[in-house]
Amino acid sequence: MKKYILIHFLIVFMMICIPALSFATDIGLEDIKKSTAENIEIHGFLSQGYLESDHNNFLAKTEDGTFQFNEFGINFSTRLTDSLEAGVQFFGRDMGTVGNDEVRFDWAFLNYNWKDWAGFKIGKMKMIYGLYNEVREIDMLRPQTLLPQSVYVEVYRDSMAAITGADIYGHIPTKLFGSFLYEFQVGVLPFSVDDGVSQLIESTNYAWKLKLTEVDSEYAWSYGITWEPPVDGLKFRYSGFEVNGLYAEGDVSATLPADINHDGTISPGEGVPVSSFDLDYNLVRFDVASAEYAIGDFVLAAEYMNMDLVALYQLGPVKVRRNTPYMGWYVSGAYRLNELFTMGLSYSEFYPNANDKDGNTQVAAGRKDFQGWQKTYTVSTKFDVNQNWMFKLEASYNDGFGTIQPFYNSPENIEPYWWLFAAKATVSF
Amino acid sequence: MKKKIFIIILSIFLLFLNAQVSVVLAAELIIVANRNIKQNEISKDEIKFIYLGRKKKWDDDSRITFVVLRSKLYQEKFMTNFLGKTPEQFDHYWKQNVFTGNGQTPITFENIKDLVDFIANRDGSVGYVPDDATIGNLKILKIK
């Protein structure tokens, strides 16, 4: 209910703002039309990739090699007045069974730059999270083919990419301490029964043959504070977001073991049949501390992510509360050797349960201990053929399979040590 | 299999390894602006914030339009000295803005005459040229 009130409020606010701002700047609709016609910019990109692993399917059916790994987008932007800009980007992607090249709004918003220290956006905009969430859809803007999964978990990508609501941002320079940039967002995140979050919920409850019928949330908020000290190329950022009222409902086909006939034993198949599943998240919160240093043709980056998650599961009459904090971090370096070639190295660690880095709870749950961590060494190469074309090759060596997205794998076939190879070509304009 | 992949990547790395070329620039750069701009001075920080899209208005609230001289010699010197970025980092920064909806592609010119003509005819515009360039009636902003 809160989400719909917020959306309607924002729509009404936008309907008031546009004519009000036109009046305030003494520019009429004809001037907006003329300005728009003169400077509409159009940009786009298309990426096609290939993934293959020697063991363990990761993100898609990679053991057999897969081309289900692409992204494409086109955007239009214009300046409506001296202070008001508008733009929209359409985007589609495919990664395994997620995306399936369905075109959606990536972002679409009005941006009113009132002062350098205060600007406002309304609409759907990229969500602040870490250094690279805002550009994670844009492959040609980084040397890596895949962002470090320890911080940029792929399964959450569809829901974390953008927030629909309102945004306030600004730049505050100081004489001694460099510059501070801030950005705060509030709105709603997109969830659907076909996205990565839903796949994750269904896969972790596959024993009950769970099929989700609804996934949604009330609202979310995000923040980003960036400090650029008086050292060229250096920046620090603290950012994160919280989702409120996230829930999932679905149908299951399961029997909860119970002594129905009161004979003191539970026979195979004896129990209470259940058909409904409810999941309420009391807390979903991500926080990231980031640092980046670009010096000459070198870029060094490091990020640390902490995620708190408290969920209440209800399967028929049974309720279970789970507190599962994730933790992940990485360090990376990239060097642009010349106009053609950039090389990158990174190391990352991810723990699906930050309180159990040895995998003991995995073993207790009937899984393997190495599903309690994932340590990844990655070599990335990028070839800029020209301003429009580039392609990448990447190899990752993994110790552990602590991914929270173990889809497409049979538990008995998961291996502790495995390689993932990626190749991708991108054209942009 | 893993060894072959490693050898391929290493070979490609060695194939594209090139020495960097350093360039000696004869002329100094000056900051020029449209005649209608009220201020006569500008700080290095202001120039940096303008070219990174963080300062969008002059003190009288009129819009700033900055232009880039797409010349390997002058662009590299300007960006290194004023923005602390290489031209590639600058392009990368604006590509990020373009593809996240936070800005439009900077206006660029390959030759000085076109740049000077643009600034002369666009209110609020600012750019950089070598100090021996013909700038007509453009205002030179003194670096403070």
Side-chain angles (χ1 to χ4, degrees):
Chain A
M1 181 59 182
K2 276 187 201 171
K3 174 176 79 174
Y4 296 108
I5 291 173
L6 179 66
I7 290 174
H8 284 104
F9 169 75
L10 288 169
I11 291 171
V12 169
F13 185 60
M14 280 166 64
M15 288 169 67
I16 294 170
C17 267
I18 295 171
L21 289 166
S22 303
F23 177 79
T25 56
D26 215 13
I27 292 175
L29 193 56
E30 285 305 314
D31 295 288
I32 290 177
K33 283 183 187 172
K34 183 166 176 289
S35 172
T36 306
E38 282 172 354
N39 66 348
I40 292 179
E41 280 196 14
I42 305 173
H43 299 277
F45 60 92
L46 172 65
S47 297
Q48 176 60 57
Y50 178 78
L51 293 171
E52 184 170 338
S53 56
D54 62 347
H55 303 293
N56 306 334
N57 289 306
F58 184 66
L59 304 179
K61 289 185 179 176
T62 52
E63 279 196 274
D64 295 331
T66 180
F67 284 99
Q68 286 187 313
F69 180 36
N70 64 48
E71 293 130 356
F72 54 92
I74 185 166
N75 69 59
F76 306 85
S77 64
T78 187
R79 182 181 298 279
L80 297 173
T81 70
D82 278 357
S83 301
L84 187 62
E85 295 169 351
V88 60
Q89 176 157 291
F90 299 96
F91 175 78
R93 75 180 188 112
D94 190 25
M95 171 71 86
T97 55
V98 176
N100 295 318
D101 295 328
E102 193 178 302
V103 178
R104 57 179 172 84
F105 282 112
D106 190 23
W107 47 262
F109 60 88
L110 292 173
N111 182 358
Y112 181 63
N113 179 240
W114 178 49
K115 298 286 182 189
D116 293 333
W117 51 268
F120 308 97
K121 299 179 200 171
I122 291 179
K124 185 175 186 182
M125 54 227 122
K126 304 306 290 185
M127 191 164 76
I128 308 301
Y129 172 74
L131 292 171
Y132 306 123
N133 192 60
E134 293 151 271
V135 297
R136 74 186 297 173
E137 319 285 30
I138 320 299
D139 177 77
M140 68 268 194
L141 294 178
R142 58 178 185 265
Q144 308 98 329
T145 306
L146 290 171
L147 281 171
Q149 292 298 295
S150 54
V151 173
Y152 299 95
V153 181
E154 191 67 21
V155 74
Y156 292 126
R157 180 175 167 179
D158 290 331
S159 302
M160 282 173 55
I163 185 168
T164 301
D167 177 308
I168 179 170
Y169 65 93
H171 171 237
I172 302 171
T174 69
K175 283 197 181 347
L176 288 177
F177 302 110
S179 289
F180 293 89
L181 298 103
Y182 72 88
E183 192 155 4
F184 300 107
Q185 302 169 319
V186 65
V188 294
L189 299 183
F191 292 97
S192 80
V193 295
D194 300 316
D195 67 17
V197 170
S198 298
Q199 270 206 357
L200 173 63
I201 297 170
E202 287 180 348
S203 74
T204 51
N205 294 279
Y206 69 91
W208 315 116
K209 300 187 184 64
L210 170 64
K211 185 67 191 151
L212 289 175
T213 54
E214 188 172 351
V215 181
D216 210 343
S217 67
E218 286 194 354
Y219 69 97
W221 55 270
S222 75
Y223 69 93
I225 308 286
T226 305
W227 173 43
E228 294 181 350
V231 174
D232 282 338
L234 182 60
K235 72 176 170 190
F236 302 96
R237 173 181 271 193
Y238 197 71
S239 59
F241 69 94
E242 184 171 310
V243 187
N244 288 270
L246 177 61
Y247 71 91
E249 296 172 354
D251 299 323
V252 294
S253 175
T255 301
L256 290 179
D259 183 13
I260 300 296
N261 56 17
H262 306 290
D263 63 355
T265 61
I266 299 175
S267 306
E270 183 183 3
V272 176
V274 294
S275 60
S276 69
F277 172 92
D278 288 281
L279 174 57
D280 287 294
Y281 288 92
N282 298 128
L283 177 65
V284 180
R285 170 83 185 247
F286 284 81
D287 294 286
V288 186
S290 314
E292 186 187 76
Y293 188 31
I295 176 167
D297 293 315
F298 263 114
V299 179
L300 303 167
E303 296 194 272
Y304 174 90
M305 178 274 287
N306 188 67
M307 187 244 198
D308 289 315
L309 190 146
V310 178
L312 189 67
Y313 290 75
Q314 181 158 358
L315 192 63
V318 176
K319 287 185 185 179
V320 176
R321 190 172 189 272
R322 278 194 204 155
N323 181 353
T324 322
Y326 302 159
M327 189 270 273
W329 63 271
Y330 76 90
V331 291
S332 73
Y335 180 59
R336 189 171 185 273
L337 276 85
N338 51 48
E339 282 181 5
L340 280 172
F341 185 66
T342 301
M343 185 156 182
L345 297 171
S346 71
Y347 174 73
S348 70
E349 291 188 3
F350 177 77
Y351 300 93
N353 185 343
N355 297 324
D356 173 36
K357 292 180 184 168
D358 294 324
N360 295 324
T361 55
Q362 301 292 331
V363 173
R367 292 186 284 268
K368 296 173 183 167
D369 64 347
F370 58 80
Q371 289 180 266
W373 66 82
Q374 187 157 321
K375 301 172 187 177
T376 306
Y377 304 79
T378 303
V379 176
S380 311
T381 56
K382 181 161 87 88
F383 305 90
D384 290 295
V385 179
N386 56 36
Q387 280 213 344
N388 304 109
W389 279 96
M390 50 142 275
F391 70 95
K392 298 178 181 177
L393 292 173
E394 183 168 285
S396 297
Y397 176 73
N398 296 271
D399 169 0
F401 196 60
T403 175
I404 60 166
Q405 43 207 355
F407 323 139
Y408 321 114
N409 292 288
S410 302
E412 62 276 12
N413 293 335
I414 294 175
E415 294 286 334
Y417 305 107
W418 53 286
W419 285 86
L420 177 70
F421 302 101
K424 209 167 192 193
T426 300
V427 60
S428 64
F429 61 92
Chain B
M1 168 72 166
K2 297 165 203 174
K3 213 179 201 176
K4 278 184 188 166
I5 299 285
F6 176 74
I7 289 170
I8 289 169
I9 291 177
L10 182 62
S11 303
I12 295 169
F13 169 78
L14 292 171
L15 188 64
F16 285 100
L17 191 60
N18 274 329
Q20 294 288 335
V21 176
S22 63
V23 173
V24 176
L25 185 60
E28 290 300 313
L29 295 175
I30 55 172
I31 306 300
V32 292
N34 180 273
R35 202 81 214 160
N36 293 333
I37 287 170
K38 292 182 175 54
Q39 64 194 74
N40 298 311
E41 294 181 318
I42 193 166
S43 68
K44 281 186 82 171
D45 275 348
E46 281 180 291
I47 295 169
K48 177 178 178 178
F49 299 149
I50 287 170
Y51 275 78
L52 296 184
R54 294 176 189 172
K55 180 176 171 65
K56 297 187 179 180
K57 295 179 181 173
W58 298 108
D59 292 343
D60 63 356
D61 254 11
S62 61
R63 187 181 125 211
I64 298 174
T65 302
F66 68 90
V67 294
V68 174
L69 179 60
R70 187 68 78 181
S71 146
K72 190 168 169 53
L73 297 179
Y74 300 120
Q75 186 180 1
E76 191 163 340
K77 178 164 185 171
F78 172 78
M79 290 188 178
T80 305
N81 289 348
F82 288 93
L83 311 188
K85 289 184 183 294
T86 64
E88 293 74 28
Q89 287 171 344
F90 178 79
D91 286 345
H92 182 96
Y93 175 87
W94 277 102
K95 253 190 179 171
Q96 287 185 317
N97 283 339
V98 163
F99 283 99
T100 55
N102 291 317
Q104 294 191 304
T105 311
I107 298 169
T108 60
F109 294 95
E110 300 283 340
N111 72 68
I112 296 169
K113 183 182 179 306
D114 290 343
L115 182 146
V116 167
D117 287 345
F118 178 88
I119 295 177
N121 291 298
R122 175 70 73 97
D123 288 345
S125 54
V126 63
Y128 58 90
V129 293
D131 60 2
D132 57 358
T134 304
I135 63 170
N137 65 347
L138 297 189
K139 175 185 278 195
I140 298 176
L141 296 180
K142 189 177 160 194
I143 309 287
K144 61 180 178 184

